[in-house]
Amino acid sequence: MLKRKPLTALLSLTLGLVGPLPLLAQTDASDSQRVGNIQYGNILDPTGWGAFAVPDPAGMSYLHAGQLRTPTGMLYPWPHQIPDEAPLGTGDWTYTGLVEFGYIHTSGDRNDEFFRMYSGLKNGAALSLLAFSALNPKTGQYVDFRGSRLSSQDQYYRLRTGSYGNYHIEAFYRDIPHTLSTTAYPLWNGVGSTNLTLPNGLATGSTPAQVQAVEANRPRQTLSVTRQSEGVSWESALTRNWIGYAGVTSEHRTGDRDWGGPMYLSYFFAAPGPGGPGTPSIPGTSGGQYDTVRPVDFTTTDVNLGLRNKGGAAGWLFNFTMTGSFFRDNKSTLDYAVPFAVAPGYNSVVTGGTWSLEPDNNYYNVRLEASHPLKLWHGEFSISAAYSSMRQNDALQAPLSPMYCPSGQFIGTTGIACANWNTTAALSQQDGDARIDSGLLNLRLDFRPSAKFSWHLNLRQRDEDNMTRYTMYNPLTGQYGYVPENGAESTATRQTELFQPDSPLYQSNFAQIASIPFTYDDRKTELGGSYRVNQNNTLSASYLLDYQTPRPRERTYINDQHFKLGWDTKAFGDASLRLSYEYQKRTGGPYNPDPYLDAYSPSLPGYLLPAVGYTAFTVAQMYMYDMSNLDASKLRAILTKPLGSTATFTATLYGNRLRYGADIGRQSYDTTGADLSWDWEPTAATSMSIHAGIESSRLKQGNVNDNEALTFSSPEQADAQFGGPFFPYANFWTATDNERDVDAGAHFRHVFSPRVRFDLDYDYTYSRGLNSYDYASLGAISTVYLSILTAADIGNSFPPNVYRMQTLTGNLNLTLTRRVGMRLYGKYEFGNYADWNYAGFNTPADLIVGNRVFTELGPQPHWHAMVVGVFMTVKL
């Protein structure tokens, strides 16, 4: 057997450079960062290595009959048996390999989206695993290949080769399916393309009844996205002390998914909708709301280059990396025709619109890390510096589409000519010209004055510069702002998003006229240390000051202080207990509820304040959660208790309590949870584990409804004070989100004989969310709803959302001959799902609600599905 040199072993552990199949049996380095953090597995074998995960009865060492524990009391896993090797030809190479193939059959609710979410299971033949490994013990060269193909959307292949202590090369290809919906009934033709057209019988200006009649006969479709990833990497010892590495990965996502459309003024209702009282959904009188389907067809390419040394250089250790990420969208726009007019009976030339999809963009990062030992107090000095840049300079599209707003036409009676807005000449610049640069410098000192005491000082400065600037100015008209949503607004409100100095029609309009370049600088200073009181007790403490200067934001600076205390003890027999407590206090400068006025028309020369002023941006007491004061406490306890020499009990308890000190905005957020597990491995042939985790969270926030009777009609609309005429106390409301999540399972492994191995897994997932609310008076309810709702209709909460899933998975491995085996696989999954947002969506016709168009009925409330497979395993 090849003995690994210390350096080779170190590289294998720290860099994921592992060798051929005999050594891969110990660990599968699927998480190699050189080619992307991708897990090579599938529903039949989530680890991607189950066929070789046979514990070795020899244990950890010939000198120790059983297992060993980590310093914290956890059992090390049993090492895996090394597969038999055979000579490869007449040279020094040996090899081992395995192929597993068979048949898969699914039954029950096989089209449920939760069952199909991340698997491409189809009835038929499947190659569950193909593995081959070769090794030359004399030269240290190795080759390893592993692959699986369940379907054309669910497969992976990986090749690794190299020479121990010299170089390593890896390449892979991976398909991962992601089913988003199996109950979609898109209204439009052309799903998957960039041009969504209305089906026969519909045109812009159709009535809800006409659209509903067509939707009732639309075909059912599945919306899904497939991720196709591939990559190659190289790593090599360039000299005695220097190692270089390089890697390129590319991920191509294709498919289609739900997407939006224009959503404006479709909420003036006359009667409750299909969900019953309290769910107002029947026809609006203006605009439309559309749930469309967009194509997904983009590629992300990542490039990594690096150089590091493992010694020398006068005691310095260096690590230099260069990273680039390049996003390319193969479909830049989405055109869609709309079935409803901008307003009922409104004869508009605007019959559709265009969405701009994600632009091409680049990311660059350069980083240098260095460390050097110090003679003082056995210390070490380390420094890291980095520069990164995010850039996007895609060509901008015209504000209106010439397809749906042709030249020579006007938008209603506004006098807005399509020719002045359906061309890129209406833009103040032709490209995005977006860029954000960041710089990072981190200095750290670590000292160990004695065997019991250590301390550290860390200084970190990160500066961000957002250089993106865009002014919404149309040179053809001399107007600032934009024509919104390709004509989704009616003629009466068309003027509200445009500003023009010295124009009686537009000079008093409050409109956004520029982008807002959000950015921040961040300086962190941390001082901490630990002291070992005795053999069983260690105390630790640290203080961190995080000073942030965001701009333009509600506060010009933030002071975020963190106090941390820790206690590690073995004072309770053979059990180990780790306790940690953190207190966080955030304060900052004076709070400005509206720091964004520079991006709006009142900041421009020529703006004429209307007689009634302009509407308050928000209530003055509204605190953004990341800008508000904060008092937070976080407590965590981790207990590890060995049970004899073959079992371990672990428990983690934690609780977080956050108070934001605000009535308007986020008020509090509390989380409590526990994780329990019991692991038992009496022999290499038997193992069993049980785990359970539960977490509860409560998020509370408050807000105040504006007095809509004053909007655009009274100077009091500019009063931003809580309790004033525009934001009265009577309009105050609160909302509370309560969540509870449970995750539990049991796992059993047993080798009955050298020929029979059985695995059984049970997993349970449960989630329940309840959104409740309270209000001071009915004034907190929008006037849109008050005409059709009573206090009894409103109630105090929405129905709970519940998700529950249980799975039972079994594997029976039978050895038939020395080289041939059989695997019987079975998985049964059942669950239920309830979401009040889908209430009333029972048939395709229900997806048309007034002037609103939805796309999917939602997941089925109950599902049962089964997968069975029979596979032959042949050792090569």
Side-chain angles (χ1 to χ4, degrees):
M1 177 180 178
L2 177 66
K3 294 184 179 180
R4 306 170 80 181
K5 297 179 181 180
L7 173 59
T8 304
L10 178 62
L11 291 175
S12 299
L13 291 173
T14 60
L15 304 177
L17 303 186
V18 289
L21 194 59
L23 295 174
L24 287 173
Q26 305 298 323
T27 179
D28 175 24
S30 297
D31 59 349
S32 172
Q33 293 294 329
R34 301 291 174 258
V35 289
N37 191 7
I38 296 178
Q39 170 63 32
Y40 297 89
N42 49 46
I43 188 174
L44 298 181
D45 179 17
T47 67
W49 207 243
F52 305 102
V54 179
D56 191 340
M60 297 292 295
S61 167
Y62 290 110
L63 304 178
H64 191 278
Q67 293 172 282
L68 299 177
R69 295 184 181 272
T70 68
T72 59
M74 299 298 296
L75 284 169
Y76 285 112
W78 286 86
H80 299 158
Q81 286 184 343
I82 298 176
D84 295 334
E85 298 173 297
L88 183 62
T90 59
D92 298 323
W93 286 83
T94 60
Y95 80 96
T96 184
L98 179 145
V99 59
E100 186 178 73
F101 58 92
Y103 184 85
I104 300 174
H105 179 76
T106 60
S107 59
D109 299 315
R110 50 185 293 185
N111 288 322
D112 177 77
E113 67 182 62
F114 290 113
F115 175 70
R116 292 181 52 184
M117 185 171 292
Y118 290 109
S119 65
L121 290 178
K122 296 180 180 179
N123 291 344
L127 176 67
S128 57
L129 182 64
L130 173 61
F132 175 83
S133 180
L135 169 69
N136 189 323
K138 290 187 176 181
T139 63
Q141 294 174 291
Y142 58 88
V143 176
D144 173 61
F145 175 81
R146 179 153 54 100
S148 177
R149 189 183 191 280
L150 303 187
S151 69
S152 58
Q153 289 81 38
D154 194 349
Q155 57 185 327
Y156 66 85
Y157 309 95
R158 184 178 66 178
L159 174 66
R160 296 183 292 186
T161 184
S163 175
Y164 289 114
N166 189 7
Y167 70 92
H168 174 83
I169 298 174
E170 182 170 341
F172 79 93
Y173 177 84
R174 179 75 164 102
D175 281 346
I176 303 176
H178 185 188
T179 299
L180 302 170
S181 174
T182 59
T183 57
Y185 295 85
L187 174 67
W188 291 266
N189 294 332
V191 170
S193 72
T194 58
N195 186 23
L196 300 179
T197 60
L198 294 173
N200 293 333
L202 292 182
T204 303
S206 298
T207 66
Q210 291 172 327
V211 179
Q212 190 175 50
V214 172
E215 175 65 25
N217 297 308
R218 295 298 292 168
R220 176 173 175 171
Q221 298 187 40
T222 294
L223 304 180
S224 63
V225 174
T226 299
R227 295 190 300 171
Q228 299 171 314
S229 305
E230 56 195 0
V232 62
S233 69
W234 159 87
E235 186 158 4
S236 177
L238 303 179
T239 67
R240 179 178 179 182
N241 293 322
W242 290 91
I243 297 173
Y245 54 89
V248 179
T249 64
S250 178
E251 180 174 281
H252 187 198
R253 300 193 182 197
T254 57
D256 37 59
R257 65 182 309 154
D258 284 359
W259 191 244
M263 301 180 183
Y264 190 80
L265 293 179
S266 61
Y267 295 98
F268 294 95
F269 308 108
T279 57
S281 301
I282 295 296
T285 60
S286 184
Q289 178 174 325
Y290 302 104
D291 181 15
T292 63
V293 178
R294 63 152 292 179
V296 175
D297 185 8
F298 47 74
T299 302
T300 301
T301 302
D302 295 328
V303 179
N304 298 284
L305 302 173
L307 181 68
R308 71 179 184 277
N309 74 320
K310 58 184 178 62
W316 284 93
L317 297 178
F318 293 98
N319 185 29
F320 176 73
T321 60
M322 298 177 61
T323 302
S325 184
F326 308 96
F327 176 88
R328 297 295 181 266
D329 198 337
N330 299 317
K331 293 179 171 62
S332 58
T333 59
L334 174 65
D335 297 320
Y336 52 88
V338 295
F340 300 122
V342 173
Y346 175 62
N347 185 19
S348 171
V349 299
V350 178
T351 58
T354 301
W355 276 107
S356 176
L357 303 180
E358 295 88 350
D360 295 350
N361 58 84
N362 302 330
Y363 170 78
Y364 309 93
N365 181 271
V366 180
R367 186 181 186 93
L368 175 64
E369 299 170 315
S371 64
H372 191 281
L374 302 175
K375 293 182 179 180
L376 178 64
W377 293 337
H378 305 285
E380 182 178 79
F381 170 71
S382 59
I383 180 174
S384 60
Y387 165 79
S388 63
S389 182
M390 295 181 287
R391 305 181 185 184
Q392 183 271 111
N393 199 33
D394 245 13
L396 302 180
Q397 71 178 53
L400 296 183
S401 169
M403 180 188 306
Y404 298 119
C405 192
S407 298
Q409 300 291 326
F410 293 84
I411 301 178
T413 59
T414 63
I416 298 177
C418 291
N420 288 333
W421 292 93
N422 64 9
T423 170
T424 56
L427 302 173
S428 60
Q429 62 189 58
Q430 297 299 303
D431 301 307
D433 194 23
R435 177 173 174 176
I436 300 177
D437 289 354
S438 301
L440 172 69
L441 178 64
N442 194 94
L443 305 175
R444 183 180 176 97
L445 287 170
D446 289 272
F447 294 104
R448 192 176 184 86
S450 68
K452 292 186 174 183
F453 177 60
S454 64
W455 66 278
H456 69 269
L457 174 65
N458 195 84
L459 305 175
R460 180 183 183 273
Q461 178 72 36
R462 183 183 186 276
D463 295 335
E464 183 177 277
D465 184 11
N466 189 336
M467 294 175 281
T468 306
R469 300 292 188 274
Y470 181 74
T471 300
M472 304 174 195
Y473 175 71
N474 187 341
L476 301 179
T477 65
Q479 296 170 327
Y480 293 85
Y482 59 96
V483 179
E485 301 282 359
N486 284 271
E489 294 187 13
S490 65
T491 55
T493 59
R494 174 57 59 192
Q495 306 170 20
T496 59
E497 305 299 340
L498 293 176
F499 166 74
Q500 187 174 11
D502 304 322
S503 169
L505 192 61
Y506 299 110
Q507 64 187 358
S508 297
N509 284 345
F510 188 93
Q512 185 172 355
I513 51 88
S515 62
I516 303 176
F518 293 106
T519 188
Y520 76 101
D521 296 336
D522 186 11
R523 182 173 68 243
K524 293 182 179 179
T525 305
E526 182 182 21
L527 177 64
S530 64
Y531 179 72
R532 183 163 61 87
V533 180
N534 52 42
Q535 186 175 357
N536 293 324
N537 294 278
T538 301
L539 301 177
S540 61
S542 68
Y543 168 76
L544 171 66
L545 174 61
D546 187 355
Y547 179 77
Q548 305 171 29
T549 54
R551 55 191 184 276
R553 289 300 306 273
E554 289 74 12
R555 275 177 157 168
T556 57
Y557 71 90
I558 291 289
N559 277 324
D560 213 345
Q561 301 180 77
H562 299 254
F563 303 87
K564 298 180 182 180
L565 298 174
W567 177 35
D568 294 350
T569 180
K570 288 190 174 181
F572 306 101
D574 55 356
S576 64
L577 176 65
R578 286 171 286 172
L579 290 173
S580 64
Y581 171 77
E582 177 182 351
Y583 174 71
Q584 179 183 357
K585 185 175 182 61
R586 182 198 298 158
T587 57
Y591 196 89
N592 176 14
D594 184 8
Y596 310 114
L597 196 60
D598 287 345
Y600 291 84
S601 54
S603 65
L604 293 178
Y607 177 81
L608 181 63
L609 184 68
V612 295
Y614 54 77
T615 307
F617 178 78
T618 187
V619 60
Q621 286 71 25
M622 164 67 78
Y623 272 54
M624 300 296 176
Y625 82 95
D626 61 334
M627 293 285 106
S628 68
N629 292 339
L630 174 64
D631 282 285
S633 297
K634 302 177 182 180
L635 181 65
R636 179 180 294 267
I638 302 175
L639 174 68
T640 303
K641 171 64 176 176
L643 302 175
S645 60
T646 60
T648 307
F649 172 78
T650 59
T652 300
L653 305 176
Y654 59 92
N656 303 328
R657 181 180 181 273
L658 285 70
R659 295 293 179 267
Y660 291 90
D663 292 325
I664 307 296
R666 182 177 291 191
Q667 299 177 354
S668 63
Y669 184 41
D670 299 329
T671 304
T672 57
D675 294 297
L676 308 174
S677 67
W678 172 75
D679 298 276
W680 179 53
E681 297 183 74
T683 66
T686 304
S687 66
M688 183 176 181
S689 65
I690 300 174
H691 72 274
I694 183 172
E695 179 178 285
S696 297
S697 64
R698 182 177 183 269
L699 172 64
K700 187 176 182 180
Q701 55 189 332
N703 209 337
V704 55
N705 185 32
D706 58 344
N707 184 354
E708 298 174 21
L710 302 179
T711 305
F712 306 130
S713 63
S714 170
E716 292 179 330
Q717 69 169 340
D719 188 346
Q721 293 300 313
F722 183 36
F726 195 56
F727 294 108
Y729 293 126
N731 290 10
F732 179 72
W733 57 266
T734 61
T736 304
D737 179 21
N738 289 283
E739 299 282 344
R740 174 169 295 180
D741 301 297
V742 177
D743 180 27
H747 310 279
F748 176 74
R749 309 279 188 273
H750 184 65
V751 179
F752 290 93
S753 71
R755 292 180 175 271
V756 181
R757 179 162 60 98
F758 180 65
D759 303 340
L760 185 65
D761 300 295
Y762 169 77
D763 293 285
Y764 173 83
T765 302
Y766 170 82
S767 179
R768 183 180 189 274
L770 178 64
N771 295 314
S772 57
Y773 44 84
D774 195 7
Y775 50 92
S777 73
L778 289 178
I781 310 301
S782 172
T783 56
V784 171
Y785 296 95
L786 284 179
S787 61
I788 61 172
L789 296 178
T790 66
D793 294 325
I794 296 170
N796 59 12
S797 69
F798 294 104
N801 292 336
V802 178
Y803 169 81
R804 181 186 289 109
M805 185 175 72
Q806 301 181 71
T807 59
L808 185 65
T809 306
N811 277 284
L812 178 62
N813 290 271
L814 304 174
T815 301
L816 304 180
T817 68
R818 183 173 177 270
R819 292 188 174 274
V820 179
M822 176 183 291
R823 177 161 75 113
L824 304 178
Y825 172 87
K827 178 178 180 179
Y828 177 63
E829 177 179 302
F830 61 99
N832 61 282
Y833 178 83
D835 186 341
W836 61 268
N837 290 282
Y838 291 104
F841 290 159
N842 300 310
T843 67
D846 295 329
L847 295 173
I848 309 302
V849 184
N851 280 27
R852 286 172 285 166
V853 177
F854 298 91
T855 291
E856 61 169 311
L857 300 179
Q860 62 187 76
H862 306 281
W863 77 92
H864 298 260
M866 177 175 284
V867 183
V868 294
V870 180
F871 302 94
M872 297 299 296
T873 302
V874 179
K875 294 181 180 180
L876 302 178

